Amino acid sequence: MARHLSLLDAAQRREFDSPPKFTAAQRAFFFSLPEWAEPLLRTMTAAHIRGGFILQLGYFKASGRFFSVERFVAADRAYVQHRYELGQLVWERYERVASFRHRPLVLHHFGVAPFDEVQAQVQQQALHLARQQMNPVAVFRSLVDLLLGHRWEIPTYAMLAGLVTEAFRTVEQRLGDHLTELLTPALRQQLDGLLLPEGDEAGPAHAHRPYRLTTLKRSLELMRPSAIRANVRDFALLHRLFQQLQPVVQALELSEEVVRYYARYVERAQVFQVQQQPDKKYLLLLCFLVQQYYQVSDLLTDTLLQAVQTHRNAAQRDTQERVYRQQQDSAGQLRQVLDGVLHHATALQQLEQVAFSFAHTNDEKVARLLDWLHTPAVAAFAHVRQTAQQLRQGNGGGPNGVYYQVVAERSRALQQRLGEILRQVPYEGMADNALAQALAQYRERGGQVGQQPSVAFLKPAERAALAQADGSVSLYKALLAGHVADQLKAGKLNLAHSLSYRPFDSYLLAAATWTSQRETLLAQANVSELREPGVWLDALQAKLAGAFTQTFERLQTGANPAVRRRADGRPRFLTPARLPADTTPVARPLFPEAGQVSLHHVLHTVNQHGHFTDQLRHWNPRHQPPRPADQVFFAGVMAYGCNLGLTRMAHAARHVAQATLENTVNWYFSLDNLRRANDAIVALTGKLPVGRLFQRAPGHTHTSSDGQKYHVAVDSIHATYSYKYFGQGKGLVSYGFLDDRHRLFYSTTFTAAEREAPYLLDGLLHNDVVESTIHSTDTHGFTEVNFALTALLGIAYAPRLQSFQDQQLYAFAGMDVPDVAAYALRLGKPLDRELIESQWETILRLVVSLKLKVVTASTVLKRLNSYAQHHPLYLALRELGRAVRTEFLLRYMDDQDLRKRIDDQLDKLESTHHFARAVFYGQNGQLRYAGKEEQQVADTCKRLVQNAIVCWNCLYLTHALFQRPSGERQAVAEAIAGMSPVSWQHINLQGEFDFSEEALTDAWQFDLDTLLTMEWANPTM
């Protein structure tokens, strides 16, 4: 390990160890003396001592830190000299002794503990954090937050970096020592075997005989039977190894973050790089096996769910076609039977006339009957009888009978994909779960159904179909797979060792931890006001009652101008149309001409000021090779973000070799790194004054989220069919988040078959830059659980709801509610407050788990939503969400401006969809990545390119505004406020990419310090 981990780059280190930069107003505030300091200042006779004390005091008041005299800012020194009439002085004479003498005085009066008194506690916290996660930068920043929160002195960067480095060195050493004690010779041999070539014969590895470790990295995220069989083989090996190593894993108490860190390193490294680390080789391999076992378990489960859904869709489609053809055939058969019956009835009528006629003798009558019996019509009637029997048999089966017949016929194709998954993956259920018992029996029999398979889990109709089916074995296996899929989604079957299919409770903070540290955890999550349910629910109930009163009073008195009464008495709520934008041109175009600015220039300029490439750190912060040039990072971002691919980018780019590009992407382009790079650009954009022009409500941050569909042109388990969007193809959803300054602050991807609602909280909680105060989605993002959780997290959830007047309203028992039926609105049954209060501790545990990022919201909400009506926590959150949703609906009805703000914010997001299509132009906008991580990397790089263009546009607009005479700035600012920084016509996204330094000769230059301090007549209009 290096002497010190590289936690911050050189510029960031200088910034950390330098005093804060003040504006004139801030300088006057921070360098004013508190009452306790004035007597102390009078005791200091030397001017340099007095000046140094004032500066140290002001800097500490602003940052909680002390700084050496050589770092004092010249402007601050001049200000203090002038304000306190110190005259000319030599600042260097403010020697270290005087500085140290002043520090305890300042610390005492501000109530801050000296660092040397709390260093042991900080070191202990660093060890704790290092055991939980393997991101040293995150640990460093967490320690800074800890020091600020506890009012402890913040030391220098070198001191904190040394603590973090020592913590990681200690944790890694302890893990290695403990692992050495736990590993038996047999287990070491198993792990060493991963570093050998496939097969028993000696010799080096090659393409046809790779290392065993290499084969285990290959998880194929495809739906082809051959890929599924390969994954099942890998799972069988991983399962065997995991069972042997599980006691060791449990004894080490490895966190998910630690396991993921070491596993990702092995995935990226070559086998020889793992072999060259004998001190932690076994730790690397152990973590890789655990992580890969979890991932392949989830991958096979995803395969099962998608294969069953595909099988059902195909069976339903075939059933409809077969029933339609059967109906067509039945119609012809019915006509044939009816024609035969009518013809036969006519003949019988004629025979009846002959039989009762007195004009014929009995012999003549018999002769006529015999003649008729030998006619072709009588022979044809025998066929009519057969047709009638066939018709009766076909109609008796009905559509259900046809469906189960089709299911049985298609079962072989399903079993080719799922047979081994059901046999190998250890799905578990409650002891009384009939399906779990049947699945265990199926595994014990090696996938054979046997003479008397367990059918207790089947529905009555399924049992009847099974009893009548010719291929009962095929039908049984198909029905078994279908029920396994249903119960996995419903949470009745689980995977104990999984990332996505564990029991719900296992995702939350451990119950013992919650019980022992409840108050501390509530404070850390900043939700202490939720400590007891009574006060919070009382406030919600009062707010709901007030909303009912105000909304219906205004409806009754006609004070709501945006309401019209329909013919049926129901209210019609109007939202004003958007006013046409002012088309009056400014003196010159606000943006350069079309195609004038290259994307390389944009990335280079934004990186100069935002330093986003600094966030792209090597996966191994302890042993870092020489860092690639920024141009290589730009090429990688464009390769993914513009959907060109690494090979095409290397061929189209100058001065970037393909091998260098691929190696850089492998080691630096992790999803976390790319998200932090996006955050750096988003933060820079937020600092620019022009961004305030796009905010409708200064002081509030209105965000929104929406999904955009992308066609996936390769076989991928993470893409699903949707005829509406992809025709006969498959695709996925890119779910993006936007704030009112047009900053895309988060995005993720998931299959087109999934709902967007579970992912809403991911973007709100898992970004470190934008803090949303109000969030909007379309109707598909709304659930009552989301209403409940956003309210608990202090975020106003304001979706745009279609036909919102059809939504049911709710009130707590005992509330005085107006007669909503008079307005053709519906009121549901009273809300169960006792249910909410009974689950309050679990609700708090969930909220704190989300706030502290113990688990992502999408993971836990998908698992919770799968329980539907059965889980008491789900029922309590739904009840709470109904109250919050009702209060919002009442305001939504009453407040025309609120509806307009929501529409405007969602319109901003819609415009970014066209922007995304323009940026992601390669491969006809179709994704060609099968793996989940690579799909998300491409999506995040696309977002980075978009954010870089928006940031460059804001830099350019701020510069253009600054260049105007002061008298014209207000008019230009109003013109900018009426437009959008989401503009790309002036950006050249295509062509040959020249990443040489010479190509940047004519790049646009911006003076960022000047732009950040620029003001005009009304900057917060």
Side-chain angles (χ1 to χ4, degrees), residues 10-79:
Q12 292 171 326
R13 287 197 296 271
R14 283 195 302 271
E15 181 180 358
F16 186 87
D17 283 334
S18 298
K21 295 179 180 179
F22 295 139
T23 63
Q26 291 171 334
R27 195 173 285 117
F29 172 77
F30 286 111
F31 292 128
S32 61
L33 292 176
E35 291 184 6
W36 62 263
E38 292 177 358
L40 286 175
L41 188 66
R42 287 194 291 270
T43 65
M44 303 174 190
T45 56
H48 60 274
I49 299 294
R50 300 176 69 195
F53 172 74
I54 296 170
L55 283 172
Q56 287 283 34
L57 179 62
Y59 288 149
F60 188 86
K61 189 192 302 185
S63 65
R65 300 190 58 206
F66 297 108
F67 302 93
S68 58
V69 65
E70 60 268 15
R71 295 188 181 275
F72 289 176
V73 179
D76 297 337
R77 291 184 299 186
Y79 174 83

Side-chain angles (χ1 to χ4, degrees), residues 549-797:
T549 300
Q550 176 173 325
T551 298
F552 282 94
E553 279 184 357
R554 283 168 52 82
L555 284 175
Q556 187 175 0
T557 61
N560 189 337
V563 178
R564 300 289 185 272
R565 186 173 290 274
R566 302 178 191 268
D568 60 2
R570 298 172 65 203
R572 177 178 174 230
F573 298 88
L574 308 178
T575 301
R578 297 187 67 179
L579 297 174
D582 187 4
T583 57
T584 305
V586 292
R588 62 183 183 187
L590 288 178
F591 286 124
E593 297 179 1
Q596 186 174 343
V597 183
S598 76
L599 182 55
H600 174 213
H601 287 191
V602 169
L603 295 173
H604 169 74
T605 301
V606 172
N607 191 55
Q608 276 186 317
H609 302 299
H611 308 289
F612 68 85
T613 57
D614 292 344
Q615 305 304 320
L616 302 178
R617 298 174 177 272
H618 194 277
W619 189 264
N620 184 3
R622 296 153 181 77
H623 305 285
Q624 295 191 17
R627 185 175 174 84
D630 285 341
Q631 288 84 347
V632 181
F633 291 115
F634 299 157
V637 167
M638 292 165 63
Y640 276 107
C642 297
N643 202 28
L644 298 171
L646 297 178
T647 301
R648 290 184 62 189
M649 172 56 73
H651 290 165
R654 297 171 60 187
H655 306 286
V656 176
Q658 182 171 347
T660 302
L661 182 59
E662 291 175 347
N663 186 66
T664 300
V665 166
N666 179 59
W667 284 106
Y668 293 87
F669 276 44
S670 71
L671 197 55
D672 288 340
N673 281 349
L674 290 168
R675 285 174 174 165
R676 284 193 290 268
N678 267 289
D679 287 349
I681 300 176
V682 168
L684 173 60
T685 306
K687 294 177 182 177
L688 297 173
V690 77
R692 300 196 302 270
L693 295 172
F694 307 117
Q695 284 187 291
R696 185 181 176 105
H700 297 276
T701 302
H702 197 156
T703 60
S704 55
S705 57
D706 190 26
Q708 186 174 12
K709 307 293 190 298
Y710 284 91
H711 185 96
V712 177
V714 296
D715 180 26
S716 172
I717 195 174
H718 307 294
T720 51
Y721 292 102
S722 175
Y723 185 80
K724 176 181 178 182
Y725 297 105
F726 313 120
Q728 299 298 323
K730 299 169 72 175
L732 53 72
V733 175
S734 169
Y735 193 57
F737 290 72
L738 181 82
D739 75 348
D740 43 13
R741 297 191 185 192
H742 299 272
R743 299 180 295 175
L744 289 154
F745 60 90
Y746 187 82
S747 66
T748 189
T749 64
F750 46 86
T751 68
E754 292 185 71
R755 283 199 66 182
E756 296 176 359
Y759 294 88
L760 180 143
L761 288 174
D762 282 1
L764 299 179
L765 295 177
H766 288 268
N767 85 91
D768 298 324
V769 180
V770 175
E771 187 173 348
S772 176
T773 55
I774 178 172
H775 185 78
S776 297
T777 67
D778 268 333
T779 303
H780 47 248
F782 134 71
T783 64
E784 285 156 340
V785 171
N786 277 346
F787 267 109
L789 289 175
T790 49
L792 292 164
L793 292 166
I795 301 169
Y797 182 37

Side-chain angles (χ1 to χ4, degrees), residues 264 267 290-300 499:
R264 294 298 193 205
E267 289 177 5
V290 172
Q291 180 75 6
Q292 196 69 0
Y293 178 64
Y294 279 36
Q295 287 184 333
V296 177
S297 297
D298 286 353
L299 180 59
L300 293 177
L499 299 174

Side-chain angles (χ1 to χ4, degrees), residues 688-690 953-963 1011 1014:
L688 297 173
V690 77
N953 288 344
C954 288
L955 282 166
Y956 183 87
L957 291 173
T958 307
H959 177 75
L961 189 57
F962 177 73
Q963 292 298 313
L1011 298 183
M1014 190 201 73

Side-chain angles (χ1 to χ4, degrees), residues 416-469:
Q416 286 181 344
R417 287 180 164 84
L418 304 187
E420 287 300 309
I421 295 178
L422 294 175
R423 286 182 55 196
Q424 298 284 351
V425 183
Y427 299 118
E428 301 173 354
M430 301 294 289
D432 59 348
N433 187 321
L435 178 61
Q437 296 169 2
L439 195 54
Q441 183 187 77
Y442 179 82
R443 292 198 199 101
E444 290 171 1
R445 294 176 175 177
Q448 299 300 315
V449 173
Q451 295 296 323
Q452 293 183 331
S454 176
V455 295
F457 66 92
L458 294 177
K459 301 175 183 177
E462 294 171 338
R463 295 181 198 172
L466 190 65
Q468 298 172 6

